[in-house]
């Protein structure tokens, strides 16, 4: 029996319960209750969600849980000393602690992410890194496991997190069965950038947006800083400074991520060879594309292609 404590707080987001559903489906797949879920909160009783209605919870106590998962909100909610202390205690007593989406801020505030790799929803990744510089934030990952600490991207990524836990506990076959029941991928290929569309880079000015649009339309070109600056109507020096100030990254890094995204989509949509994809997306050679995939997605393109093929065959 795996006892899971799922922690909620006022204005928590209901999508986090998707992970609970994955554990429920594992029970059904195995024909017995192997996961028992308890909803927890600092004060106990009814806790209102961001949707306006509440759920009944049990107050924090010294119950030993196999897994403690911290819920998330649509924004960073204030963290009480009691919540932070419970996170620290859970780290000492539970086999693993997990935090999808903005729940990572609870673990970071508790010091549990210091020196660890972690992720969160892309929209909050930069804030997590700025507030907690000791955390090694990898903003494009769907989920990360670092020792006994698990973090994931946006709220639907809690399903990916739960499936990985189920696979670790009961094997790939059970995890695949749960994925089929939920009509989701057993393992999603790639990272968050495929869903955030490179976050559209969210520039503040039309000039920088023009340069990004130009890059997207001309990935086969060299796309030097001078070329992008010309598209923006700025000098190279002005452009580099403005681009970094508005997007938080260098033009070269942004272009690389655009190319990785375009290459990943070509892998999903067709049967082109790696050499053709590398040429079409501006990497020129497959080895250069491979290194960019490892930097950006943490996986080589061959792994992502195999994952796409495997999931296409296994998911209805």
């Amino acid at each position: 029996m795996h006892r899971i404590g799922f922690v909620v707080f006022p204005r928590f987001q209901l999508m986090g319960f998707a992970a609970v559903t994955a554990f429920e489906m594992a029970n059904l797949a195995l024909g017995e209750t192997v996961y028992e879920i308890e909803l927890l909160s600092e004060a106990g009783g009814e806790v209102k969600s961001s949707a306006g209605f509440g759920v009944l919870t049990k107050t924090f106590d010294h119950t030993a849980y196999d897994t403690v998962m911290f819920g998330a909100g649509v924004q960073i909610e204030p963290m009480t000393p009691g919540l932070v202390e419970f996170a620290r205690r859970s780290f000492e007593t539970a086999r693993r602690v997990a935090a999808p989406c903005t729940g990572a801020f609870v673990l970071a505030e508790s010091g549990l992410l210091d020196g660890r790799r972690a992720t969160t929803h892309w929209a909050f990744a930069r804030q997590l890194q700025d507030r907690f510089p000791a955390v090694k934030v990898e903003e494009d990952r769907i989920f990360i496991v670092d020792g006994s600490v698990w973090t994931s991207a946006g709220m639907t990524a809690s399903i990916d997190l739960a499936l990985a836990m189920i696979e670790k506990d009961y094997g790939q076959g059970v995890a695949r069965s749960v994925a089929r029941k939920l009509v989701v991928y057993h393992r999603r290929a790639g990272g968050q950038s495929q869903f955030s569309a490179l976050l559209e880079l969210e520039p503040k000015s039309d000039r920088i947006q023009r340069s990004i649009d130009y890059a997207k339309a001309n990935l086969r070109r060299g796309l030097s800083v001078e070329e992008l600056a010309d598209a923006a109507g700025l000098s190279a020096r002005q452009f580099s400074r403005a681009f970094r100030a508005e997007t938080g990254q260098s033009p070269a890094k942004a272009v690389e991520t655009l190319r990785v995204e375009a290459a990943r989509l070509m892998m999903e949509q067709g049967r082109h060879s790696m050499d053709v994809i590398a040429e079409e997306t501006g990497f020129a050679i497959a080895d250069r594309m491979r290194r960019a995939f490892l930097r950006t997605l943490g996986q080589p393109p061959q792994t992502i292609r195999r994952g796409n093929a495997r999931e296409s065959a296994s998911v209805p």
Side-chain angles (χ1 to χ4, degrees), residues 186-201:
H186 171 217
R187 291 196 192 95
R188 275 193 272 189
Q192 294 190 63
S193 61
Q194 61 186 292
F195 306 103
S196 62
L198 192 61
L199 323 189
E200 295 300 331
L201 288 171

Side-chain angles (χ1 to χ4, degrees), residues 84-313:
V84 171
E85 176 55 34
F86 183 73
R88 290 173 179 155
R89 189 165 74 242
S90 297
F91 178 74
E92 297 295 330
T93 59
R95 178 164 64 104
R96 57 195 174 200
V97 293
C101 196
T102 59
F105 283 80
V106 177
L107 301 188
E109 185 70 31
S110 306
L112 303 184
L113 296 184
D114 287 357
R116 294 183 185 272
R117 297 163 53 245
T119 194
T120 187
H121 190 290
W122 61 262
F124 297 99
R126 203 172 299 164
Q127 186 178 347
L128 181 64
Q129 187 66 86
D130 290 344
R131 282 182 57 179
F132 304 100
V135 181
K136 301 173 184 177
V137 178
E138 298 183 19
E139 65 182 74
D140 195 53
R141 302 297 294 275
I142 297 295
F143 70 87
I144 288 176
V145 183
D146 191 324
S148 62
V149 180
W150 301 53
T151 54
S152 76
M155 294 167 194
T156 60
S158 66
I159 299 175
D160 300 81
L161 196 71
L163 287 171
M165 289 180 177
I166 292 165
E167 180 169 339
K168 183 174 181 63
D169 295 340
Y170 292 103
Q172 188 178 98
V174 176
R176 282 188 180 278
S177 176
V178 172
R180 290 191 189 100
K181 283 178 167 47
L182 296 175
V183 197
V184 298
Y185 287 119
H186 171 217
R187 291 196 192 95
R188 275 193 272 189
Q192 294 190 63
S193 61
Q194 61 186 292
F195 306 103
S196 62
L198 192 61
L199 323 189
E200 295 300 331
L201 288 171
E202 297 188 341
K204 299 174 184 176
S205 70
D206 291 340
R207 285 184 169 187
I208 300 302
Q209 184 63 59
R210 280 202 304 272
S211 73
I212 294 169
D213 293 341
Y214 177 84
K216 287 179 179 179
N218 295 277
L219 289 177
R220 292 191 65 175
R221 298 176 62 90
L223 296 178
S224 66
V225 170
E226 290 75 17
E227 186 175 358
L228 294 173
D230 187 60
L234 296 168
S235 71
R237 178 174 293 185
Q238 287 175 320
F239 172 74
S240 293
R241 289 176 177 172
F243 194 96
R244 186 177 287 277
E246 293 188 26
T247 68
Q249 57 186 282
S250 69
K253 178 59 178 175
V255 168
E256 179 178 87
T257 312
L258 283 170
R259 285 180 167 143
V260 167
E261 171 66 0
R264 188 195 62 76
L265 288 172
M266 285 187 71
M267 290 174 200
E268 284 188 359
Q269 296 168 355
R271 299 290 181 180
H272 299 293
S273 70
M274 291 298 183
D275 288 333
V276 169
I277 293 172
E279 183 177 353
E280 289 294 318
T281 55
F283 287 112
I285 58 175
D287 185 60
R288 187 176 298 162
M289 180 172 72
R290 180 181 181 277
R291 293 196 301 270
F293 266 65
L294 288 171
R295 283 191 296 270
T296 304
L297 302 180
Q299 301 178 78
Q302 292 84 354
T303 298
I304 290 175
R305 166 162 275 179
R306 285 195 298 269
N308 288 333
R310 184 169 56 243
E311 296 304 345
S312 294

